[in-house]
Amino acid sequence: MHEKERHRIILSAVQEKPVVTVPELVDLTGSSEATIRRDIAALHVQKRLRRVRGGAEAINPPQFVGLAGRPFSVNEGLHAREKQAIAREAVALCQDGEPIIINGGTTTFQMVHFLANRRMQVFTNSFPIAEHLLKHSKNTVMLSGGTIYREQNIILSPFDNDVTRNFYARRMFMGAQGLGPLGLMEADPLLIQAEQKLIDQADELVVLVDSSKFHRRSSLILCGLKRIATVITDTGIEDRHASMLENAGVSLIIANAKAASDAETASTSAGGG
């Protein structure tokens, strides 16, 4: 990752919580601990953050601490091609007219581009997904009620009697913090509470995760593998993770980011010529 991109991610991360540790920034950027420490030192000298023992903090710390986990702005640029290919496969499962739920996230957000020519009933807790579909599609869109969390760009309600309970869906499409033998993992208790309500409203749960998510862990389990009908991931998935899903009876769809990109390039060239 280029230095400027690392600095952007580091500065974004320190705005979301009181202190961000070196290991957290290593995980966010995929860089070495030594590189992160050099980046923190450089940004400290530039007075763009404050170096503290074991990590960094913002010069002007945020007054409102959001949800645990990566902010939407950081996640959006990670594994972008894989996320687009995964989203394309997800929309291919949909039929016009059927109701679906799309949970907030950067991978699920990519579905909006492939839903542009569809006519479906979409329930979402994602402000950007709803906004994009309203502007650029004919889909019917319903939003859940609650508080908008700016960092993750999602709407969450702590109350059980919100509109979520009145919507039925054929499928729910969602991402996650991590995916392992115990199931789907998330980073924040409020996310768990809200997403479990959404899951209850769908017949099938379709999980959209790039292959890096099989190596990520969290202390909070959202649901077990048995609740998942299908996982869509990219060609980077390891055999052991594919076997884990197969043994749990989960269908696996592998999206080829390169093939999808080549097909899109060919289609664009044909249209232009």
Side-chain angles (χ1 to χ4, degrees):
M1 185 180 292
H2 192 273
E3 181 183 89
K4 287 185 177 180
E5 181 67 8
R6 291 199 311 273
H7 286 188
R8 184 185 71 80
I9 290 174
I10 291 169
L11 291 170
S12 177
V14 298
Q15 287 298 327
E16 311 306 333
K17 54 195 301 189
V19 175
V20 182
T21 67
V22 170
E24 286 174 324
L25 293 173
V26 166
D27 184 45
L28 277 174
T29 62
S31 304
S32 68
E33 186 172 311
T35 298
I36 292 300
R37 291 188 185 279
R38 284 197 298 271
D39 287 340
I40 290 174
L43 292 168
H44 176 83
V45 170
Q46 297 170 24
K47 300 187 183 306
R48 300 175 72 187
L49 56 69
R50 185 178 294 108
R51 181 171 54 185
V52 298
R53 183 179 179 84
E57 66 179 8
I59 297 293
N60 299 303
Q63 295 184 359
F64 173 77
V65 178
L67 301 171
R70 291 173 175 168
F72 189 94
S73 59
V74 172
N75 261 337
E76 194 172 16
L78 302 176
H79 311 287
R81 289 179 62 192
E82 289 81 3
K83 289 176 179 178
Q84 290 168 7
I86 290 167
R88 183 192 296 272
E89 294 289 346
V91 174
L93 296 176
C94 301
Q95 300 293 326
D96 281 356
E98 71 179 7
I100 61 171
I101 297 172
I102 306 179
N103 195 48
T106 55
T107 306
T108 50
F109 175 77
Q110 292 300 321
M111 291 178 67
V112 300
H113 307 300
F114 307 106
L115 286 168
N117 295 319
R118 296 297 192 96
R119 291 178 179 269
M120 305 182 67
Q121 301 172 57
V122 180
F123 185 95
T124 184
N125 63 357
S126 166
F127 195 78
I129 288 176
E131 182 180 38
H132 194 283
L133 290 177
L134 284 171
K135 289 181 178 179
H136 305 289
S137 81
K138 299 292 187 183
N139 295 283
T140 300
V141 180
M142 288 183 64
L143 270 171
S144 61
T147 301
I148 299 176
Y149 288 80
R150 290 181 177 87
E151 297 82 5
Q152 281 79 14
N153 273 332
I154 57 176
I155 304 167
L156 299 179
S157 170
F159 306 110
D160 190 60
N161 61 341
D162 59 32
V163 70
T164 302
R165 297 298 190 190
N166 300 109
F167 190 86
Y168 157 80
R170 173 76 174 84
R171 292 184 179 90
M172 175 177 172
F173 297 90
M174 69 177 299
Q177 175 86 359
L179 180 57
L182 294 179
L184 279 181
M185 288 164 279
E186 271 299 354
D188 191 280
L190 187 56
L191 273 175
I192 294 282
Q193 181 182 357
E195 289 172 346
Q196 282 178 339
K197 283 193 297 184
L198 287 171
I199 290 172
D200 288 344
Q201 303 306 114
D203 288 339
E204 294 182 13
L205 178 60
V206 181
V207 175
L208 283 59
V209 286
D210 66 77
S211 54
S212 72
K213 296 297 181 70
F214 290 94
H215 298 280
R216 293 180 60 80
R217 294 292 181 267
S218 174
S219 60
L220 301 175
I221 304 297
L222 173 59
C223 69
L225 291 178
K226 295 294 184 184
R227 180 62 181 89
I228 303 171
T230 304
V231 167
I232 308 177
T233 189
D234 58 78
T235 53
I237 185 173
E238 297 179 13
D239 290 343
R240 61 192 176 104
H241 295 138
S243 297
M244 172 188 74
L245 297 175
E246 182 182 355
N247 293 337
V250 179
S251 297
L252 176 62
I253 297 174
I254 297 178
N256 189 323
K258 185 179 186 306
S261 178
D262 290 346
E264 187 171 329
T265 301
S267 175
T268 303
S269 299

